[in-house]
Amino acid sequence: MLDFLRQEGISEEIIREIESFRAQYPLSDASSYRVPNPSYRYYGKEIWEMALTALLSGENLLLVGPKATGKNVLAENLAAVFHRPEWDISFYLNTDASSLIGTDTFRNGEVTLRHGPIYQCAEMGGFGILDEINMAKNESLAVLHATLDFRRIIDVPGYDRITLSPATRFIATMNYGYAGTRELNEALMSRFMVINMPLISQDNLKKLLLAQVPNLKEEYAEQFSALFDDIRKKCESGEISTKPLDLRGLLSSIKLIENGLTALQALEMGIVNKSTDDFERQLVSDVLSARISASLSAAELFHIR
Ligand SMILES: Nc1ncnc2c1ncn2[C@@H]1O[C@H](COP(=O)(O)OP(=O)(O)O)[C@@H](O)[C@H]1O
Ligand SMILES: [Mg+2]
């Protein structure tokens, strides 16, 4: 991972600090299985620098942005870079203190606290990914206030009060713009350093395509990145919604072409049909046909396997 950071152009100073963080907080045998080994890398030098510096300074991070901007990929990459065990905690409407910190259970006739993910993460010096944190009710998250600010404690009335391991960090993610998303209140927001996650750049998308689909010919990686950029421009000008601006859909489409569909069939499923409006679907189809020929298929797109 550190070599990848060097390739991305991260300074040696930051890399040295990561190395000393790792040396300061060696992994215990009990937690090493939780250290992620990411199959995807996050591309974007500036975001890397902001995230690494904030975490090295002891801050918690909130990654905010539209879908498929690599929020979870970055969060996992960060746990891997710092060599920390990861807890992935999805937030939803009914998330409450007991699902985060723990629940009462009977063991040998006694009530004990079965430790929840936040508790375990806090104790083991983990990186806790608070995924889609804004899906939970703000009031249910008040239990995290003391955990996320300078107090760095978990204090559950009736149970023990623990102090977070100095290696523990929290990285929250938050989408916006689709139904059901809510705002974080100011109290919670002020406990994070916030990164606005940009849509991947055209150059980085080309890198990503070549890394995730190693068989793809370079000229077509270029074509698909340009296509994605065409769709992005239509979104920015307000001509279409962001529904068809779907990077996951693009990646899946390319895999379907590899498995035998024509480019237009696959992109219809992965991109065009994400839109629920006839007129918009037509606009997106037109953008596609301007870039990609209807008959384009695996034989042309991929190097021979
Ligand atoms: N900057 C980026 N670097 C690497 N991968 C990215 C980037 N932006 C988006 N992706 C890709 O988009 C897909 C979705 O990523 P994910 O982290 O799940 O997005 P999010 O959590 O923001 O919705 C993955 O395949 C990921 O590799
Ligand atoms: Mg996500």
Side-chain angles (χ1 to χ4, degrees):
M1 279 303 293
L2 293 185
D3 281 337
F4 170 76
L5 291 183
R6 287 191 180 99
Q7 279 168 34
E8 282 286 286
I10 306 300
S11 75
E12 279 305 316
E13 195 180 332
I14 292 180
I15 289 175
R16 262 197 309 279
E17 285 182 54
I18 296 168
E19 280 169 336
S20 71
F21 182 100
R22 287 179 178 184
Q24 196 176 354
Y25 305 112
L27 277 173
S28 71
D29 288 344
S31 66
S32 59
Y33 78 98
R34 279 188 172 272
V35 179
N37 181 14
S39 27
Y40 301 134
R41 301 276 185 268
Y42 179 82
Y43 301 100
K45 173 176 185 255
E46 291 213 335
I47 301 295
W48 266 117
E49 283 175 343
M50 290 195 279
L52 292 168
T53 306
L55 293 173
L56 283 166
S57 312
E59 301 289 344
N60 298 309
L61 278 180
L62 172 62
L63 311 178
V64 185
K67 65 173 188 279
T69 42
K71 297 184 289 295
N72 288 87
V73 168
L74 177 61
E76 189 189 40
N77 275 207
L78 286 165
V81 162
F82 284 93
H83 270 180
R84 300 314 304 168
E86 177 188 303
W87 272 262
D88 232 308
I89 311 158
S90 287
F91 284 62
Y92 53 97
L93 193 62
N94 292 326
T95 294
D96 60 5
S98 66
S99 59
L100 296 171
I101 312 287
T103 45
D104 287 341
T105 48
F106 269 109
R107 197 187 292 154
N108 306 325
E110 261 181 79
V111 181
T112 54
L113 181 71
R114 197 170 59 84
H115 296 163
I118 296 280
Y119 194 109
Q120 294 174 30
C121 179
E123 238 183 353
M124 312 264 274
F127 272 35
I129 316 301
L130 314 179
D131 198 25
E132 312 223 0
I133 190 171
N134 57 319
M135 299 306 272
K137 296 193 199 75
N138 280 299
E139 310 84 77
S140 325
L141 301 181
V143 65
L144 295 181
H145 285 180
T147 310
L148 293 171
D149 68 23
F150 70 94
R151 290 170 283 177
R152 294 182 64 84
I153 56 167
I154 296 178
D155 197 351
V156 192
Y159 297 101
D160 37 346
R161 164 187 160 125
I162 65 156
T163 302
L164 270 56
S165 150
T168 302
R169 299 287 186 277
F170 291 99
I171 304 173
T173 77
M174 172 170 155
N175 276 351
Y176 54 72
Y178 62 78
T181 53
R182 13 169 124 241
E183 296 270 343
L184 277 199
N185 68 18
E186 289 182 31
L188 212 47
M189 192 66 105
S190 76
R191 286 169 165 79
F192 292 100
M193 291 304 279
V194 183
I195 297 184
N196 246 323
M197 298 288 284
L199 209 61
I200 192 166
S201 70
Q202 202 175 329
D203 280 352
N204 280 338
L205 178 53
K206 189 178 156 193
K207 271 204 269 180
L208 178 154
L209 291 176
L210 291 171
Q212 290 197 17
V213 192
N215 259 326
L216 184 64
K217 288 184 187 160
E218 188 165 343
E219 55 185 298
Y220 287 107
E222 185 110 31
Q223 276 294 311
F224 284 122
S225 334
L227 167 68
F228 196 70
D229 206 55
D230 292 343
I231 300 173
R232 181 183 61 77
K233 286 191 188 115
K234 288 252 181 268
C235 289
E236 277 171 5
S237 68
E239 283 173 80
I240 58 171
S241 76
T242 56
K243 287 175 191 164
L245 187 63
D246 190 336
L247 183 52
R248 284 194 192 87
L250 177 65
L251 289 165
S252 303
S253 300
I254 295 172
K255 282 166 197 156
L256 292 196
I257 303 171
E258 204 171 9
N259 289 335
L261 292 188
T262 67
L264 282 195
Q265 285 175 316
L267 290 165
E268 187 170 312
M269 293 167 78
I271 301 277
V272 180
N273 290 346
K274 298 295 166 78
S275 167
T276 47
D277 175 88
D278 285 340
F279 180 68
E280 186 172 291
R281 276 202 298 274
Q282 191 54 54
L283 275 177
V284 178
S285 284
D286 293 346
V287 176
L288 285 187
S289 345
R291 279 271 174 210
I292 309 274
S293 106
S295 57
L296 191 61
S297 65
E300 257 172 290
L301 228 60
F302 300 100
H303 296 290
I304 296 154
R305 278 162 286 171

